[in-house]
Amino acid sequence: MSQPTSQPTFPFAPQPPLTATASYQALEEHAVEAEDWQLRSLFAADAGRFPGLTVDAAGLFLDYSKNRLDARTMALLTALARERGVEAQRDAMFAGARINTTENRAVLHTALRAPRASALVVDGQDVSADVHAVLERVRAFTEAVRGGAWLGHSGKPITDIVNIGIGGSDLGPKMVCLALRQYAHPRLAMHFVSNVDGHDMDAALARVDPETTLFIVASKTFTTTETMMNAQTARAWFLQHAPESALARHFVAVSTNTEAIRQFGIDPANMFPFWDWVGGRYSVWSAIGLSVALCVGFGYFQDLLAGAHAMDTHFKEAPLEQNMPALLALVGFWNRQFLGCGSVSIAPYHQDLSRFPAYLQQLDMESNGKRVTKSGAPVDTPTCPVIWGDCGTNGQHAYFQLLHQGTDVTPIDFIAALRPAHEYANHHAALLANCFAQSEAFMKGKTLDEVRADLQAQGLSLANIERLAPHKTFPGNRPSNTILMEYLTPYTLGALIALYEHKTFVQGVLWDVNSFDQWGVELGKVLAKRIESELTGSALPELHDSSTNGLIAMAKAAV
Ligand code: F6P
């Protein structure tokens, strides 16, 4: 983690508090009018609601019509986006301005997926040339490993790849490898070790053979405790089975910190660099995606980048009124600020996207889980909601009960592919039917009268009808988005990830928070270091509260 500098070069003047802006105040007034709106009535009153509140971009389709808003709401929200400078700040990000003010860094993950011809030069540095030089190395390395030219120390081809990393150095590669498993190399098994919990490493090492395993140590900083401990453990395990001279065939590293990699003992030829302007949670497009390129091949990795680039181009060029990431952000903002929704559930109706909610948790909550503005003043409204979720249909048989009938209103993003990559047509029809039925059920609900009529038709007594009806009523009027693609491919997945990245960016601009730092993770890291030395050393814990002292004493007694 680099230290903040005292000279940020952010090119924008401090923003006024959100609630003091004219367009936010107009939205507050509008929200009073909209308080009693019912989605059923909004659909009944407007035959053009679906075409009016849907948008296509980069192989994705977004239906946001099942939200409690109308054209005027969207006009007010886009006016707010303009007043907050979304377009200017977006352009500044793409151009390489140092919009990460507390770390005085540019934010250029979009440059990682731009074609070579984009020729982006920032502060005199040819960023495009740097990016494509590393991509070329990734290509050569992945082709050697996948093609069998890169051999383990005893002359056998690689069969297992263990990515050692955490946070952005784990969640992106792991999520993408799983999502694109249809494209995976049949000889290569992918493993991901992130947790400092030795059970994680233990489970991975039990499944691999040191003669045919390639370890990728992935860490932007190369100082992250979990990753460093896991990397040392993997190295020690490997050296129990092979000579030191064999390390170079089995350990490679991805990082911005080449000096630390050298000190770890990894061959400089096996380092894949990236740059401080790539945030950890935005790094799957960089050499951190090495495990993805190894898994699916460089061509499909390029398709992933191309899909993201297509979404970048759309985000950069489309007017806010038809701009998919901006619209997704504005709808989410409306639900958060004016409907008071404190969490958002992500429901991929595609088993291969099962890690997507976890990926979005870091992307969104590490980016916008902030409570002060860029100038350090308290944000005067709530910010990032909690992001959580799991695959449909599994979630339906677990927590959807709360989503349908609980006291909190939780907006849901449904994500599905229109065509499957398998041949079980009946499964796919059932899956999509469930996806669409759920969004319909959340929107419409089921009124007390409808429930009574149903129960009457089933021949229940009046007393039983009155006893059961409240339990079987659904309030409905619960917001959701549906995102569709034709197939889940590297291209559409790239577009989907970039869609959420830019959604996160736009919301950060609305709240005026720095979406690109993560100081909130630091305190726990510092305290853990201290407690670790108390657990492993002889010093008695005296500096803590009685609870922490008590817990430490229990752990020490158990050793
Ligand atoms: O502690 C949070 C964090 O810094 C994330 O932002 C990052 O993705 C993760 O840790 C891993 O960091 P690194 O890639 O430097 O090991």
Side-chain angles (χ1 to χ4, degrees):
M1 176 69 55
S2 77
Q3 294 305 306
T5 72
S6 53
Q7 298 278 309
T9 54
F10 187 60
F12 298 100
Q15 294 271 350
L18 186 55
T19 55
T21 60
S23 29
Y24 192 87
Q25 289 167 2
L27 274 160
E28 281 180 317
E29 277 174 33
H30 176 71
V32 175
E33 272 169 50
E35 208 166 7
D36 296 329
W37 285 0
Q38 291 292 318
L39 277 166
R40 277 188 188 221
S41 323
L42 293 176
F43 273 97
D46 179 7
R49 189 170 170 86
F50 177 71
L53 299 175
T54 52
V55 63
D56 274 295
L60 302 183
F61 173 83
L62 167 67
D63 170 13
Y64 58 101
S65 64
K66 291 195 182 90
N67 283 281
R68 269 152 60 181
L69 44 78
D70 69 359
R72 167 123 178 96
T73 321
M74 295 313 297
L76 291 170
L77 286 164
T78 44
L80 174 71
R82 291 208 165 88
E83 188 174 350
R84 297 301 265 180
V86 165
E87 290 147 313
Q89 297 206 34
R90 169 198 64 193
D91 295 346
M93 174 176 74
F94 276 95
R98 296 185 185 215
I99 63 169
N100 177 356
T101 45
T102 59
E103 297 178 308
N104 196 21
R105 288 178 184 162
V107 173
L108 276 174
H109 46 277
T110 52
L112 297 167
R113 55 236 191 176
R116 174 70 187 90
S118 61
L120 179 68
V121 176
V122 177
D123 293 339
Q125 186 65 30
D126 188 340
V127 168
S128 307
D130 292 349
V131 165
H132 284 268
V134 174
L135 276 175
E136 183 49 32
R137 290 192 51 212
V138 169
R139 185 193 60 72
F141 181 70
T142 53
E143 284 176 1
V145 173
R146 289 168 58 87
W150 180 284
L151 300 173
H153 71 100
S154 61
K156 296 181 183 168
I158 298 299
T159 57
D160 292 85
I161 292 168
V162 181
N163 188 88
I164 300 175
I166 197 165
S169 302
D170 167 74
L171 288 162
K174 187 172 174 177
M175 180 275 285
V176 173
C177 286
L178 187 58
L180 300 182
R181 68 176 179 85
Q182 299 282 350
Y183 299 80
H185 193 293
R187 195 188 70 238
L188 296 175
M190 307 303 299
H191 311 267
F192 292 86
V193 176
S194 54
N195 200 334
V196 77
D197 181 348
H199 296 106
D200 201 6
M201 180 58 79
D202 193 43
L205 294 181
R207 290 198 303 261
V208 301
D209 176 347
E211 286 184 68
T212 57
T213 298
L214 178 73
F215 292 93
I216 301 174
V217 186
S219 173
K220 178 177 171 179
T221 54
F222 228 75
T223 57
T224 304
T225 321
E226 292 89 338
T227 302
M228 291 303 103
M229 189 175 274
N230 280 326
Q232 292 292 358
T233 301
R235 188 178 193 272
W237 173 86
F238 179 77
L239 290 177
Q240 285 168 14
H241 305 278
E244 189 131 359
S245 58
L247 278 172
R249 308 301 299 168
H250 294 269
F251 278 80
V252 301
V254 183
S255 183
T256 58
N257 188 349
T258 45
E259 189 41 46
I261 298 179
R262 216 184 307 273
Q263 280 172 16
F264 182 85
I266 287 181
D267 187 337
N270 294 346
M271 291 180 192
F272 295 86
F274 64 112
W275 307 272
D276 72 355
W277 42 258
V278 183
R281 52 195 174 274
Y282 301 87
S283 64
V284 69
W285 323 100
S286 72
I288 289 289
L290 186 63
S291 50
V292 174
L294 284 163
C295 177
V296 302
F298 189 71
Y300 287 130
F301 184 63
Q302 278 184 307
D303 288 352
L304 181 82
L305 302 183
H309 179 66
M311 186 56 76
D312 293 344
T313 306
H314 165 79
F315 180 51
K316 223 160 52 163
E317 294 175 359
L320 293 178
E321 289 74 7
Q322 282 119 45
N323 192 308
M324 190 183 283
L327 292 168
L328 193 61
L330 293 173
V331 169
F333 183 83
W334 169 255
N335 290 338
R336 178 68 177 129
Q337 308 298 127
F338 302 104
L339 268 57
C341 302
S343 87
V344 172
S345 189
I346 308 294
Y349 275 65
H350 197 306
Q351 190 60 31
D352 295 345
L353 286 174
S354 61
R355 294 289 303 170
F356 195 58
Y359 176 80
L360 289 189
Q361 281 183 328
Q362 186 197 19
L363 173 61
D364 215 332
M365 296 203 278
E366 204 173 63
S367 296
N368 288 338
K370 313 279 164 71
R371 48 182 280 289
V372 294
T373 65
K374 288 183 188 123
S375 42
V379 182
D380 57 343
T381 70
T383 60
C384 187
V386 172
I387 308 292
W388 60 284
D390 197 357
C391 277
T393 57
N394 298 2
Q396 291 173 210
H397 296 275
Y399 52 78
F400 270 43
Q401 164 62 42
L402 177 147
L403 300 181
H404 281 292
Q405 289 188 315
T407 49
D408 290 312
V409 173
T410 303
I412 302 162
D413 284 358
F414 293 97
I415 303 170
L418 290 172
R419 295 170 192 263
H422 58 70
E423 289 172 356
Y424 311 113
N426 55 337
H427 282 253
H428 196 61
L431 178 79
L432 287 187
N434 273 279
C435 178
F436 302 158
Q438 287 297 327
S439 75
E440 186 180 27
F442 282 116
M443 184 274 279
K444 277 175 125 170
K446 192 166 181 182
T447 64
L448 195 58
D449 284 347
E450 286 168 342
V451 174
R452 282 190 181 123
D454 256 11
L455 295 178
Q456 209 170 4
Q458 289 165 31
L460 267 71
S461 69
L462 199 57
N464 265 342
I465 291 173
E466 289 314 309
R467 185 174 64 82
L468 287 175
H471 300 280
K472 290 180 166 256
T473 299
F474 290 68
N477 212 23
R478 302 201 163 194
S480 70
N481 296 305
T482 301
I483 297 170
L484 298 177
M485 62 200 89
E486 189 183 4
Y487 286 104
L488 179 63
T489 63
Y491 186 93
T492 53
L493 179 64
L496 182 69
I497 302 169
L499 166 66
Y500 277 94
E501 285 179 350
H502 296 320
K503 175 221 125 176
T504 302
F505 170 80
V506 171
Q507 292 189 339
V509 173
L510 296 176
W511 286 311
D512 190 30
V513 298
N514 180 0
S515 302
F516 301 103
D517 62 12
Q518 55 284 318
W519 300 106
V521 302
E522 294 301 317
L523 177 60
K525 288 185 191 174
V526 173
L527 296 183
K529 275 256 168 269
R530 190 191 300 166
I531 294 178
E532 191 181 334
S533 69
E534 290 167 1
L535 285 178
T536 53
S538 55
L540 279 177
E542 286 171 0
L543 296 171
H544 310 276
D545 56 276
S546 62
S547 161
T548 311
N549 283 342
L551 297 171
I552 292 171
M554 285 177 75
K556 286 188 79 136
V559 172

